[in-house]
Amino acid sequence: MRTLHAFIFLLLSPALAAQEPVIVTVDSTTKLGPVKPIWNYFGYDEPNYTYMKNGKKLVAELTATGPGPVFFRAHSLLVSGDGKPALKWGSTNAYTEGAAGNSVYDWTIVDRIFDTYREARGKPFVEIGFMPEALSSQPQPYRHKWPDGSISTGWAFPPKDYDRWRELIYQWTKHCVERYGKAEVETWYWEVWNEPDILYWRGTPEEYNKLYDFAVDGVKRALPTARVGGPATTGPANPKAAAFLQQFLQHCLNGKNEATGKAGSPLDFVTYHAKGRPTVVDDHVRMGLSKNLQDVASGMEILNAFPKFRKLPIILSESDPEGCAACSARVYPQNAYRNGTLYPTYTAAAINNTLKLADRHRSNIAGLLTWAFEFEDQPYFDGFRTLATNGIDKPVLNVFRMAAMMSGNRVRTESTGAAGLDAILKDGVTAKPDVDAFASRGPHDVTVMLWNYHDDDMPAPDASVKLTIAGLPKQVQVRHYRIDATHSNAYTVWKNMGSPQSPNEEQYKQLEAAGQLQLLQPSQPVSTQAGKAALEFLLPRQAVSLVQLTW
């Protein structure tokens, strides 16, 4: 058996020797709290893609990533229409009115969406919206034409009848309980609307509060133990969004409940959004991680000002590098991060720093939802913010496969290459790279995720990493997974094929395999010394490693 000091993941090269090493230390005996799978949340604009061929495939892949429930949030679950999807559009026709003005409910398409989640063991994160045409106070024009013109049409207006709105939500919740069972629906989240501080809501903040009151009253009448929340505002680093979130919390605390006449409104969890701001600088993409994290921090600060609510679960019901999944990089060059390894590396850094912010503010972070899914019948790797393209997994999906391997408790981790939370909040990662890690310890494993991230998507030397893990038994098995240019990366393989838009059967199978999470090298047994393992490897810029030691 080779000794630990002789064990090296990659052969030392001149490049490695020339770089000042980054020292990463993991003390697996110092627990920071249980691992919360905050990454197990996904969402998208187009609900009807859910049950299509590649949509069902992706739902199944996401729910198979690891332990813990995976939640799915989709827009337009109550929108009127024929169920045919388009970019930034979907419909279920759940509510119409008969010739006599009576309410007509049809759950066929909604059931098909939720059934797809449940058949794969996923769960709905139910976004209550948007307004059915027959209930809209200003229904025409109803369907928008994206990208030509505003998307804020009849579906974004308040209801003409709040009692009918409440009854719609009551009937929907009641139907879900009958179809899926009380115990199951109790585990779901029911969130009222989406981004009511901007064009998704054509009413006032007070009218949103009323919409919330009536919707929640409908949910709770059907299932008193249901989890309800909101308001799903845009990033509260923006003063307007912050003011909306604050007034909503005040309303839930002691404002007049328009549905019941009592003081306050039920609030079981709080949602808001966090977005980055990529730009193009000197012909390359520069990400905006600082803006993303400023939104996270601002929301936590606002919630902490309400002692009754500060311990409530926080779900970032959208947290992404920017705000438009359907805006292709062909048209918006700042979105060119989406196909390659920059996206998963950004995501790893965002998850880590969100957890750090939760620790700092003593916030109950429960979810960080990635607003990315898949688009049917679009060109391969066309630059949309998606997890897969035509059934081929993109590199970003593999960072969630990595995260799913983390279990037990988070443990103390330090890195000499970390950019630092305060510096990232202030300036982003625009000076030295962020070579950092977070780690977990389960009953029979220690798992470490590491990345080499920079906001600027520019070529740079690899980082020389020296990883030391303490608190281990005498013998461990080491697996090293990697996302980089040549591992877990179907995009590189596709480009090397000549970027085919009609890959043949053999090419498609090769792309499918390349889209899976891959080992950097075969699993190896390692003997530790004094309970420590010391491993060395190169970590390229915009790459992610996951090192797992099991026994």
Side-chain angles (χ1 to χ4, degrees):
M1 176 69 63
R2 290 180 293 177
T3 66
L4 181 62
H5 290 295
F7 183 80
I8 299 176
F9 277 104
L10 294 176
L11 292 176
L12 289 174
S13 68
L16 179 60
Q19 298 301 312
E20 181 178 347
V22 173
I23 309 301
V24 179
T25 56
V26 176
D27 177 4
S28 71
T29 65
T30 302
K31 299 177 182 179
L32 303 179
V35 171
K36 292 182 179 181
I38 65 171
W39 42 81
N40 278 359
Y41 295 76
F42 302 93
Y44 45 106
D45 290 73
E46 302 84 3
N48 306 102
Y49 287 148
T50 305
Y51 47 78
M52 296 184 175
K53 176 184 176 182
N54 290 324
K56 293 183 73 172
K57 179 180 180 181
L58 182 54
V59 167
E61 285 188 303
L62 291 172
T63 58
T65 54
V70 175
F71 289 91
F72 296 90
R73 175 183 188 258
H75 287 342
S76 303
L77 293 176
L78 296 177
V79 166
S80 303
D82 57 10
K84 295 180 181 179
L87 295 181
K88 297 187 76 67
W89 175 261
S91 60
T92 67
N93 224 40
Y95 178 90
T96 54
E97 294 181 358
N102 56 300
S103 299
V104 179
Y105 307 106
D106 185 347
W107 311 117
T108 303
I109 295 178
V110 175
D111 286 349
R112 195 174 180 188
I113 294 165
F114 287 3
D115 286 354
T116 301
Y117 301 152
R118 293 302 303 130
E119 287 166 5
R121 301 185 307 281
K123 293 180 182 292
F125 187 100
V126 185
E127 182 191 297
I128 300 175
F130 297 119
M131 196 58 60
E133 185 173 8
L135 262 184
S136 176
S137 57
Q138 188 172 318
Q140 299 303 322
Y142 190 73
R143 177 164 179 173
H144 62 257
K145 297 180 179 179
W146 191 87
D148 302 320
S150 172
I151 67 168
S152 185
T153 50
W155 56 263
F157 282 84
K160 65 182 183 182
D161 186 325
Y162 280 89
D163 288 322
R164 288 202 177 198
W165 166 253
R166 171 170 51 192
E167 186 66 16
L168 166 61
I169 308 310
Y170 165 74
Q171 293 292 341
W172 187 16
T173 310
K174 177 174 174 286
H175 170 78
C176 289
V177 171
E178 292 169 349
R179 186 175 183 85
Y180 303 104
K182 174 176 177 287
E184 170 59 29
V185 180
E186 284 176 328
T187 68
W188 300 1
Y189 295 95
W190 295 77
E191 178 192 46
V192 180
W193 218 256
N194 174 73
E195 298 184 341
D197 55 309
I198 59 169
L199 52 76
Y200 282 88
W201 178 244
R202 298 292 294 274
T204 65
E206 293 75 19
E207 286 174 317
Y208 170 78
N209 295 342
K210 184 176 181 179
L211 181 90
Y212 180 88
D213 292 344
F214 276 82
V216 166
D217 196 52
V219 173
K220 291 285 190 178
R221 181 157 63 96
L223 182 62
T225 50
R227 297 187 289 190
V228 296
T233 57
T234 57
N238 178 288
K240 180 182 176 182
F244 195 105
L245 178 57
Q246 288 167 327
Q247 69 82 33
F248 169 77
L249 293 172
Q250 191 65 49
H251 171 77
C252 290
L253 181 65
N254 55 22
K256 180 184 176 181
N257 188 309
E258 296 289 346
T260 67
K262 299 178 181 179
S265 198
L267 183 65
D268 300 314
F269 62 94
V270 176
T271 62
Y272 59 91
H273 297 170
K275 303 287 184 176
R277 188 179 292 147
T279 56
V280 175
V281 178
D282 296 331
D283 297 323
H284 72 271
V285 172
R286 173 175 290 174
M287 303 298 281
L289 180 58
S290 62
K291 167 63 170 59
N292 200 155
L293 296 174
Q294 288 165 12
D295 282 338
V296 177
S298 295
M300 291 176 176
E301 290 166 2
I302 290 170
L303 193 59
N304 280 349
F306 291 81
K308 181 180 177 181
F309 297 146
R310 66 176 302 161
K311 293 184 179 180
L312 287 181
I314 295 172
I315 300 172
L316 307 171
S317 54
E318 295 181 26
S319 183
D320 304 287
E322 37 68 43
C324 182
C327 295
S328 170
R330 284 185 295 101
V331 182
Y332 302 91
Q334 68 269 29
N335 293 339
Y337 70 88
R338 294 169 166 181
N339 287 332
T341 61
L342 180 53
Y343 192 4
T345 313
Y346 176 103
T347 302
I351 290 172
N352 179 57
N353 285 287
T354 297
L355 291 171
K356 288 182 178 180
L357 284 169
D359 291 342
R360 171 177 292 183
H361 294 285
R362 298 183 180 179
S363 296
N364 182 13
I365 186 72
L368 183 158
L369 187 146
T370 294
W371 197 256
F373 191 61
E374 67 95 23
F375 295 109
E376 297 282 341
D377 302 321
Q378 297 294 331
Y380 282 77
F381 296 101
D382 201 38
F384 293 110
R385 191 171 73 236
T386 53
L387 303 174
T389 173
N390 291 284
I392 303 301
D393 297 340
K394 295 166 71 171
V396 65
L397 201 156
N398 285 308
V399 82
F400 298 107
R401 292 187 171 116
M402 286 181 169
M405 296 184 190
M406 310 192 82
S407 62
N409 286 282
R410 290 167 54 216
V411 295
R412 185 180 300 280
T413 305
E414 296 181 355
S415 172
T416 61
L421 177 58
D422 289 327
I424 296 175
L425 282 169
K426 182 177 182 291
D427 298 316
V429 185
T430 54
K432 70 173 186 176
D434 183 44
V435 184
D436 204 355
F438 72 98
S440 67
R441 180 177 182 130
H444 302 287
D445 71 275
V446 173
T447 305
V448 188
M449 184 185 291
L450 312 96
W451 54 89
N452 181 356
Y453 172 76
H454 200 283
D455 277 344
D456 290 299
D457 193 19
M458 296 281 288
D462 298 347
S464 166
V465 175
K466 292 187 175 181
L467 171 63
T468 302
I469 304 167
L472 301 174
K474 292 182 179 180
Q475 185 82 16
V476 294
Q477 193 76 16
V478 180
R479 296 178 180 86
H480 188 162
Y481 299 88
R482 171 63 64 77
I483 304 169
D484 62 19
T486 57
H487 297 87
S488 314
N489 191 334
Y491 181 52
T492 298
V493 174
W494 179 74
K495 289 192 294 182
N496 290 339
M497 286 178 176
S499 306
Q501 283 301 330
S502 299
N504 59 38
E505 184 177 354
E506 182 178 347
Q507 288 175 320
Y508 192 87
K509 288 181 178 179
Q510 186 179 351
L511 290 170
E512 276 190 308
Q516 301 302 302
L517 182 61
Q518 297 169 356
L519 287 165
L520 184 63
Q521 68 173 54
S523 174
Q524 301 250 7
V526 174
S527 298
T528 65
Q529 292 186 355
K532 294 183 178 181
L535 313 173
E536 298 183 30
F537 52 90
L538 289 170
L539 185 60
R541 179 65 57 88
Q542 317 298 22
V544 187
S545 275
L546 186 112
V547 177
Q548 188 169 57
L549 297 85
T550 59
W551 57 89

